Amino acid sequence: IMNERRKIPLAQVIAFAASVPSTTSGSLNRSIPLNPNSITLSQFGFYLSENADRIFLDGTIGVQAAIINPTVTFRIFDENNRLVFSTTEQFQLSIGQVQTVSFRAIDSARPAGFRVYTLTASSTDLLPILTGATVTGPLNFSALALKN
């Protein structure tokens, strides 16, 4: 498919998958463990009938502070436990406050076959009693696979 004005090839959507454990704040209560332990927040699988040039991954997570400023590392792994994406967020929160974080990642050049993505979280704080965190929602995680 071509954009007739600029002759730019448009990408074709070849697959979409999502996991939506929660759409609202306050609907979950999942404590985030101290690194090196982690919690699986969301996971899904889907079949690619052909090679994907790019898979866009999108996550949105609501986090509540135990007392002050938790630091949380979010990671995305594929079906081979390969790290696809990692980000560390320090939340500027005090007792009971909730903040929602969103992130996007791209996994490139994936072959046809069954694909699985897993979203995890772990706390990197040294004083988890003060700076611990809980996932309270919303929580959603999705993938959009494209071919040029």
Side-chain angles (χ1 to χ4, degrees):
I1 300 173
M2 298 286 279
N3 179 323
E4 290 302 320
R5 281 193 176 153
R6 296 188 209 156
K7 301 293 184 192
I8 298 171
L10 298 177
Q12 176 185 7
V13 174
I14 57 173
F16 176 79
S19 172
V20 186
S22 168
T23 59
T24 60
S25 182
S27 59
L28 296 174
N29 184 15
R30 296 185 184 170
S31 295
I32 300 174
L34 188 60
N35 198 30
N37 297 315
S38 64
I39 183 172
T40 296
L41 298 176
S42 186
Q43 183 178 55
F44 57 79
F46 61 97
Y47 184 76
L48 288 175
S49 59
E50 55 189 305
N51 296 347
D53 294 308
R54 293 171 311 282
I55 299 177
F56 292 88
L57 301 161
D58 183 79
T60 300
I61 305 157
V63 175
Q64 182 177 35
I67 297 181
I68 57 167
N69 302 342
T71 302
V72 178
T73 298
F74 298 101
R75 293 182 181 95
I76 298 173
F77 296 94
D78 71 4
E79 67 279 355
N80 297 313
N81 208 31
R82 176 182 60 98
L83 181 64
V84 175
F85 175 80
S86 179
T87 185
T88 300
E89 300 286 334
Q90 182 171 22
F91 296 90
Q92 301 300 312
L93 302 170
S94 59
I95 297 175
Q97 287 185 314
V98 176
Q99 181 177 332
T100 301
V101 62
S102 292
F103 52 82
R104 284 153 195 83
I106 298 174
D107 196 9
S108 298
R110 295 308 311 267
F114 193 73
R115 301 289 154 239
V116 175
Y117 289 98
T118 303
L119 173 62
T120 69
S122 61
S123 172
T124 56
D125 293 311
L126 299 177
L127 298 170
I129 292 173
L130 294 176
T131 56
T134 302
V135 172
T136 58
L139 173 54
N140 60 64
F141 181 40
S142 63
L144 179 71
L146 300 177
K147 179 178 177 135
N148 285 340

